[in-house]
């Protein structure tokens, strides 16, 4: 007869995941990236203020989702590889290069890893770009969403996205999308981190819970 | 909530079935679907897609998932096609009998309670997510949701089915209290179109029904007439 142990909480043995919502949108002259801040291990929230927007270079960021360890490691490796690359070419790296490096790791180790990174940034050649690197594919898109919370906002972003939004409109779009997803997905929540990248550099902003927009049943 | 919903590992792969036998011969028929209902002052608007699938085969591409239960009470069905049809037939009978006993039109809440009782009692055997909506004299237009498991809850707007996950954000942001009938129709058609675009188990045409004191008006929006949200 086996005895149940009530001493060890379930989350000690659960893998730490960033069940999450991430989004990146291009506007004329740059990109806006957004993420929530919740990291969960089973039912427990182990970090409620994690910034999932990780810099790969001065004007290239990536948004992390999936397994927290896998995603962070990929971001660190690519950060290093990009530094080496930019020294070799003596210039700022292209967003496409950063995305390709992420894709190469995601594809080569696709059986072992479970992380999805969205790479976005600004470079002199093509301006603002967003690349999705899900499971080892590389796809340039006007905008991309990812993470568990993204399922709930597919309809919203399909309906509300328009080409040629201004920077301000893009930031509002990102914050609205994150708020809606955090409202419905139990694995997303906390605060919203927003990073705006244009030719002048990257600007990070944190929107606290009480500053988020309210929708009809809130 | 338990571990985060992951993108499935084979999401980017092409067809990898054993092509000797189609998989739909072994799969259950399901209305993997998108259904929705909205209350407005004076009635309700209900909508559904029209796809019934057995695995990857579309068994019926023009299904009618809006089923009449009584003169001014309809239900939207999602989940197993067989289960929901059986439940709807049983509730239609029970409600008809009850209405004769009462000698007046039944309440929407009564219909919803009958669904709930059956879905809760047989919750282990059934796979049914149902939205009950209609009009009655006492409370006007009402929407009750009876999801898998058998709870019942009245809501001003309710979505259900596999495609509903994709439109929670759209519904939360676009719903306003006290919309007119036309606004509700546009809202419902837009939401269903978005869900059908993203959910492989939803598609076909959009079937709409408006239930008011005057009666029931039904509409069909064909594929080429659906609202476009293309970002190309």
């Amino acid at each position: 007869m086996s005895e149940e142990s009530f001493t060890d909480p379930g989350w000690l043995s659960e893998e730490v995941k960033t069940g999450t919502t991430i989004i990146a949108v291009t506007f004329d002259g740059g990109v806006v990236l957004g993420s929530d801040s919740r990291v969960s291990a089973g039912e427990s929230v182990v970090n409620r203020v994690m910034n999932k927007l990780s810099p790969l270079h001065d004007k290239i960021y990536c948004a992390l989702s999936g397994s927290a360890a896998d995603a962070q490691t990929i971001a660190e490796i690519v950060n290093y590889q990009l530094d080496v690359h930019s020294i070799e070419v003596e210039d700022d790296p292209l967003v496409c290069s950063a995305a390709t490096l992420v894709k190469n790791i995601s594809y080569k180790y696709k059986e072992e890893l479970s992380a999805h990174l969205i790479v976005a940034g600004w470079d002199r050649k093509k301006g603002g770009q967003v690349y999705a690197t899900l499971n080892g594919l590389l796809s340039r898109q006007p905008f991309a969403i990812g993470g568990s919370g993204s399922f709930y906002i597919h309809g919203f972003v399909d309906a509300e996205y328009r080409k040629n939004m201004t920077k301000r409109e893009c930031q509002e779009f990102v914050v609205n999308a994150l708020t809606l997803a955090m409202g419905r997905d139990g694995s997303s929540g906390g605060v919203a981190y927003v990073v705006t990248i244009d030719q002048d550099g990257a600007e990070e902003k944190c929107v606290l819970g009480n500053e988020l927009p309210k929708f009809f049943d809130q | 909530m338990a571990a985060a919903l992951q993108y499935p590992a084979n999401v980017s792969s092409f067809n990898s079935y054993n092509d000797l036998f189609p998989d739909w011969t072994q799969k259950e028929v399901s209305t993997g679907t998108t259904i929705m209902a909205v209350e407005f002052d004076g009635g309700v608007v209900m909508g559904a897609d029209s796809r019934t699938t057995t695995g990857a085969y579309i068994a019926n591409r023009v299904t009618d998932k809006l089923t009449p239960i009584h003169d001014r009470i309809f239900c939207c069905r999602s989940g197993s096609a067989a289960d929901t049809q059986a439940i709807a037939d049983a509730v239609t009978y029970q409600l008809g009998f009850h209405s004769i006993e009462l000698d007046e039109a039944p309440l929407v809440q009564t219909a919803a309670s009958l669904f709930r009782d059956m879905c809760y009692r047989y919750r282990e055997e059934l796979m049914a997510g149902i939205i009950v909506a209609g009009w009655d004299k006492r409370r006007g237009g009402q929407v009750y949701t009876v999801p898998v498991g058998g709870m019942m809850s009245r809501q001003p707007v309710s979505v259900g089915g596999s495609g509903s996950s994709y439109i929670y954000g759209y519904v939360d942001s676009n719903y306003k209290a006290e919309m007119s009938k036309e606004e509700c129709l546009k809202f419902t058609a837009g939401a269903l179109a978005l869900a059908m675009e993203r959910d492989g188990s939803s598609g076909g045409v959009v079937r709409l029904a408006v239930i008011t004191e005057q009666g029931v008006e039904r509409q069909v929006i064909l594929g080429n007439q659906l609202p476009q949200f293309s970002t190309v």
Side-chain angles (χ1 to χ4, degrees):
Chain A
M1 187 170 73
S2 64
E3 274 176 45
E4 273 210 19
S5 160
F6 291 101
T7 51
D8 289 336
W11 50 262
L12 275 181
S13 45
E14 296 269 358
E15 192 193 337
V16 172
K17 291 198 187 297
T18 51
T20 188
T21 312
I22 51 177
I23 174 172
V25 191
T26 43
F27 64 91
D28 184 24
V31 293
V32 179
L33 289 103
S35 83
D36 73 306
S37 68
R38 180 172 292 184
V39 181
S40 47
E43 278 129 23
S44 172
V45 176
V46 295
N47 186 343
R48 58 187 168 101
V49 286
M50 163 135 180
N51 190 341
K52 300 174 191 176
L53 303 176
S54 197
L56 297 177
H57 203 80
D58 298 337
K59 300 201 186 81
I60 307 176
Y61 270 62
C62 72
L64 315 174
S65 76
S67 155
D70 288 349
Q72 279 188 338
T73 309
I74 298 176
E76 281 169 17
I77 293 174
V78 172
N79 185 355
Y80 163 76
Q81 290 175 339
L82 261 187
D83 277 345
V84 171
H85 171 71
S86 86
I87 289 170
E88 282 176 349
V89 300
E90 289 179 14
D91 197 2
D92 286 336
L94 298 176
V95 187
C96 183
S97 313
T100 306
L101 290 169
V102 172
K103 179 265 291 181
N104 287 341
I105 300 177
S106 302
Y107 181 70
K108 187 164 179 200
Y109 300 103
K110 72 190 299 199
E111 306 302 327
E112 292 99 329
L113 296 174
S114 63
H116 167 34
L117 275 67
I118 298 177
V119 179
W122 183 93
D123 63 43
R124 236 189 359 236
K125 198 163 156 205
K126 290 192 192 148
Q129 300 145 73
V130 168
Y131 291 86
T133 64
L134 171 64
N135 263 330
L137 79 81
L138 177 63
S139 165
R140 182 173 172 202
Q141 297 170 191
F143 69 91
I145 56 178
S148 56
S150 71
F151 291 114
Y152 302 102
I153 49 172
H154 271 295
F156 174 78
V157 299
D158 282 344
E160 301 293 322
Y161 173 77
R162 284 156 291 125
K163 286 204 281 235
N164 303 324
M165 287 197 277
T166 64
K167 178 160 87 165
R168 185 98 212 97
E169 286 171 337
C170 260
Q171 287 169 333
E172 273 175 32
F173 174 65
V174 164
V175 170
N176 285 339
L178 288 171
T179 308
L180 288 164
M182 298 197 298
R184 287 288 179 177
D185 180 30
S187 310
S188 301
V191 303
Y193 287 104
V194 180
V195 168
T196 312
I197 309 177
D198 56 19
Q199 68 173 47
D200 302 321
E203 184 197 318
E204 296 193 9
K205 195 162 161 298
C206 174
V207 182
L208 297 180
N210 58 347
E211 295 162 13
L212 290 171
K214 303 231 180 304
F215 294 98
F216 89 94
D217 57 0
Q218 290 146 348
Chain B
M1 184 187 273
L5 185 65
Q6 291 283 310
Y7 276 100
N10 63 346
V11 68
S12 312
S13 64
F14 295 107
N15 191 335
S16 59
Y17 306 129
N18 178 347
D19 286 324
L20 291 177
F21 300 102
D23 79 320
W24 51 260
T25 49
Q26 283 113 34
K27 291 270 169 68
E28 192 196 329
V29 174
S30 120
T31 50
T33 188
T34 315
I35 52 177
M36 181 167 166
V38 191
E39 287 176 9
F40 65 92
D41 182 24
V44 293
V45 170
M46 307 174 74
D49 73 305
S50 70
R51 184 173 288 184
T52 308
T53 50
T54 359
Y57 175 65
I58 299 174
N60 186 347
R61 60 188 170 104
V62 286
T63 323
D64 186 6
K65 301 179 192 175
L66 303 177
T67 310
I69 305 295
H70 205 264
D71 293 342
R72 290 190 182 41
I73 306 177
F74 269 58
C75 75
C76 309
R77 301 179 290 113
S78 76
S80 156
D83 287 349
T84 54
Q85 281 180 353
I87 299 171
D89 286 347
V91 172
T92 306
Y93 163 76
Q94 290 169 349
L95 200 65
F97 192 76
H98 167 75
S99 156
I100 287 172
E101 285 182 318
L102 228 58
D103 203 19
E104 68 177 24
L107 299 176
V108 186
Q109 184 179 16
T110 312
S113 293
L114 288 170
F115 272 107
R116 185 266 314 272
D117 286 348
M118 194 162 294
C119 290
Y120 179 71
R121 186 181 303 259
Y122 301 108
R123 59 186 297 175
E124 305 300 329
E125 288 95 342
L126 293 174
M127 170 66 111
I130 296 178
I131 300 180
V132 185
W135 181 93
D136 64 36
K137 214 167 50 189
R138 192 185 293 184
R139 296 198 185 111
Q142 299 146 74
V143 170
Y144 293 87
T145 180
V146 181
V148 169
M151 87 163 197
M152 176 180 89
S153 168
R154 182 179 174 190
Q155 293 175 333
V157 59
S158 182
V159 295
S162 58
S164 68
S165 321
Y166 302 103
I167 49 173
Y168 275 111
Y170 179 80
V171 168
D172 283 345
S173 61
N174 283 63
Y175 174 75
K176 298 179 305 279
E178 284 153 36
M179 288 195 281
S180 70
K181 179 176 95 166
E182 283 67 31
E183 288 173 323
C184 281
L185 280 165
K186 200 149 159 280
F187 173 55
T188 307
L192 289 170
L194 287 165
M196 281 156 52
E197 191 93 346
R198 286 288 178 180
D199 179 29
S201 312
S202 301
V205 303
V206 169
R207 293 198 188 274
L208 294 167
V210 183
I211 309 177
T212 57
E213 182 175 6
Q214 280 72 39
V216 178
E217 283 165 43
R218 301 209 53 172
Q219 278 178 40
V220 178
I221 304 185
L222 299 179
N224 58 346
Q225 298 159 348
L226 286 172
Q228 296 286 343
F229 291 98
S230 174
T231 52
V232 170

